[in-house]
Amino acid sequence: MKKLAPLLLNLIPFLMQAQTTFYEERFRPQYHFSSQKNWINDPNGLVYHNGEYHLFYQHNPFGNIWGHMSWGHSVSKDLVKWKPLPLALKEERGKMAFSGSVVVDTKNTSALGKKKENPPMVAVFTAHDSINQSQYLAFSNDQGRSWNSFAGNPVLDLNKRDFRDPNVFWYEQTKQWVMMVSMPIEKMISIYTSPNLKQWTFQSNFGPIGDTSGVWECPDLFQVPIAGETNKKKWVLLISQNSSMQYYVGEFDGKKFYNENSPTKIVRPDYGSDYYAAITFKNTPDRIPVSIGWVNNWNYANEIPTDPWKGAMSIPRKLSVKKIGSEWSLIQEPIKALRAIRSMEERLSGTISVKNSYTLPFKSNCFEMEVDLKPVKNGICGIKVAVGGNHSFIIGYDAKSAQLFTDRSNTPSNFSKQFPLSAKKYASLKTQNDKVKLHIFFDKSIVEVYANNGELVFTSQVFPEETDTGIEFFSDGNDTVFEQISFWPMRSIWK
């Protein structure tokens, strides 16, 4: 037995590692989607079919950094709890499966279906190697559980190194498929049409316009309701650039998109540091698009201190638009299904007046919170989360400049030289009836802030110490009133 003791001691670390339960790791989000292990980035192929929401995503099945791009796959009944499925599209013969979309070919225009009552799911995606990006098809006749490559690939090839991320939808007015595909270097989105998903005809280009500081990729064009105006809709075009996003609002005639906002104004779906490549479920049961984005940033994506996974998805957002002044604005609201994972509400009645700071009576690193604040003229006020020691993540409002901001300068960042460079983010926001309404989601390492019912959104990663769970109100010496304060600890979607 004495001889066995050293051997047993050496085995203990390995036995402990084997008993580790996934989704209980230190920084692991509890209600944001992440894969059990290994790297993920862009959401792909968001589609609703036969009672299931399908989330495909860029995935490295072999490691926890970018590489060997394939399509991971999970399904959900409610967009909250997810069931993992086997890998959908794999890297084959030296070609990675880059981003794209999935459609349900209900009319079997592609002739890839077997039975009329079971239409095929068709993936349109970019096949990538070191010298070429071209558009490929794959199809499934068993609800997305298995996939076959189309024998006639590629279906669109310009012999270009950068030509990617096809986003496809059916346009009923012309009875054709429409593809939005990125010309990254030219800062343009090309529009193609097809009767059958196999043969594509060029129609027009959109851009360059707005933010042209980085490559353009991951386009998505979709129609949304106008808030407060029954049966009226507008078209929205999302585009990603390196580590940020922008959007345009206007009209689409089946061949060309017409932007109706100022061509010089840059508006973003998210003003935080960590929101990218968002696309939408277009065919939701109520036909109101729901978006999901990748929560990370290419400047430090491979360096974030998470293991055995890297990367997560935002909470799903229901979309609409409304006119604010003379410009169309995208309105994003967290889906109501998230309320099902709230624990018992902890509510502070009445109002709280704060001159310097006020510590709230609850602590958590996994919660949802709503609060209204009345900022003092020319003052700065707000909320601190992940508070502990000298650490905090700040959600603030500068009344003088009428700007909402987030600041993670006082959170741990020694894992990356790039991470602190995007610590502070600002965006213009006017008060509503002298108030700023904040809806905050904090999930271990992700903070999402929705302001004034979704007029502005900030998404940021933060990697606090385990004891950084405090929450505080703050003001810069002026009296700020906080009211309508509701707090919900959130249950894990993985249990």
Side-chain angles (χ1 to χ4, degrees), residues 292-316:
I292 291 178
W294 175 47
V295 181
N296 213 335
N297 184 308
W298 283 118
N299 292 326
Y300 43 78
N302 280 301
E303 300 174 67
I304 61 171
T306 63
D307 187 77
W309 87 100
K310 198 167 263 93
M313 298 301 171
S314 71
I315 59 177

Side-chain angles (χ1 to χ4, degrees), residues 26-75:
R26 176 176 170 186
F27 296 124
R28 175 77 80 164
Q30 295 300 292
Y31 56 92
H32 287 74
F33 176 86
S34 60
S35 64
Q36 187 180 79
K37 61 181 182 178
N38 295 343
W39 166 280
I40 66 172
N41 59 287
D42 305 359
N44 296 155
L46 305 187
V47 68
Y48 179 79
H49 183 47
N50 283 351
E52 290 182 323
Y53 294 92
H54 292 259
L55 167 62
F56 302 88
Y57 46 90
Q58 292 287 278
H59 180 53
N60 181 354
F62 305 112
N64 205 22
I65 59 173
W66 186 92
H68 302 288
M69 286 294 95
S70 304
W71 278 28
H73 187 193
S74 289
V75 293

Side-chain angles (χ1 to χ4, degrees), residues 211 213 215 239-246 268-270 272-273 275-277 297 425:
D211 185 354
S213 60
V215 298
I239 299 173
S240 296
Q241 306 88 33
N242 286 357
S243 58
S244 64
M245 295 187 66
Q246 63 184 326
R268 305 197 185 282
D270 197 295
S273 304
Y275 187 78
Y276 197 71
N297 184 308
K425 293 291 183 178

Side-chain angles (χ1 to χ4, degrees), residues 264-489:
T264 60
K265 185 171 183 178
I266 298 171
V267 285
R268 305 197 185 282
D270 197 295
Y271 288 88
S273 304
D274 297 289
Y275 187 78
Y276 197 71
I279 59 172
T280 59
F281 290 94
K282 296 179 177 67
N283 67 332
T284 58
D286 63 4
R287 299 298 171 181
I288 299 177
V290 171
S291 67
I292 291 178
W294 175 47
V295 181
N296 213 335
N297 184 308
W298 283 118
N299 292 326
Y300 43 78
N302 280 301
E303 300 174 67
I304 61 171
T306 63
D307 187 77
W309 87 100
K310 198 167 263 93
M313 298 301 171
S314 71
I315 59 177
R317 307 172 180 182
K318 182 157 283 196
L319 306 180
S320 62
V321 295
K322 75 175 182 179
K323 267 279 180 72
I324 299 179
S326 61
E327 302 281 345
W328 289 107
S329 292
L330 184 65
I331 305 301
Q332 303 171 86
E333 298 177 279
I335 60 167
K336 292 181 179 179
L338 287 164
R339 297 175 184 177
I341 59 171
R342 289 172 172 173
S343 293
M344 184 68 70
E345 179 182 11
E346 300 177 44
R347 186 175 180 85
L348 298 184
S349 59
T351 62
I352 296 174
S353 182
V354 178
K355 196 164 187 176
N356 293 297
S357 66
Y358 174 87
T359 301
L360 275 70
F362 28 75
K363 294 183 176 183
S364 179
N365 59 8
C366 187
F367 66 84
E368 176 186 356
M369 183 177 182
E370 292 181 352
V371 59
D372 292 354
L373 58 90
K374 290 184 177 180
V376 176
K377 186 178 181 180
N378 297 328
I380 296 176
C381 58
I383 302 170
K384 296 179 181 180
V385 301
V387 177
N390 295 320
H391 297 148
S392 67
F393 180 93
I394 298 173
I395 304 158
Y397 186 73
D398 185 335
K400 185 175 182 178
S401 61
Q403 286 189 310
L404 188 70
F405 65 92
T406 58
D407 183 357
R408 65 182 179 200
S409 300
N410 293 324
T411 65
S413 61
N414 58 3
F415 60 88
S416 168
K417 293 180 180 179
Q418 292 293 321
F419 189 76
L421 300 180
S422 58
K424 297 180 180 180
K425 293 291 183 178
Y426 298 82
S428 297
L429 180 72
K430 293 182 179 180
T431 58
Q432 293 182 351
N433 300 318
D434 298 323
K435 298 179 184 179
V436 174
K437 298 178 69 68
L438 296 178
H439 193 176
I440 302 165
F441 294 84
F442 183 27
D443 189 7
K444 296 284 189 166
S445 58
I446 298 173
V447 183
E448 293 193 45
V449 181
Y450 297 77
N452 289 353
N453 301 310
E455 284 185 15
L456 279 187
V457 186
F458 288 74
T459 300
S460 297
Q461 292 183 106
V462 59
F463 301 98
E465 300 292 343
E466 291 185 86
T467 55
D468 295 345
T469 58
I471 306 169
E472 296 178 0
F473 295 152
F474 74 91
S475 188
D476 62 355
N478 297 293
D479 286 313
T480 299
V481 174
F482 296 80
E483 59 186 23
Q484 303 296 323
I485 304 159
S486 293
F487 175 89
W488 299 268

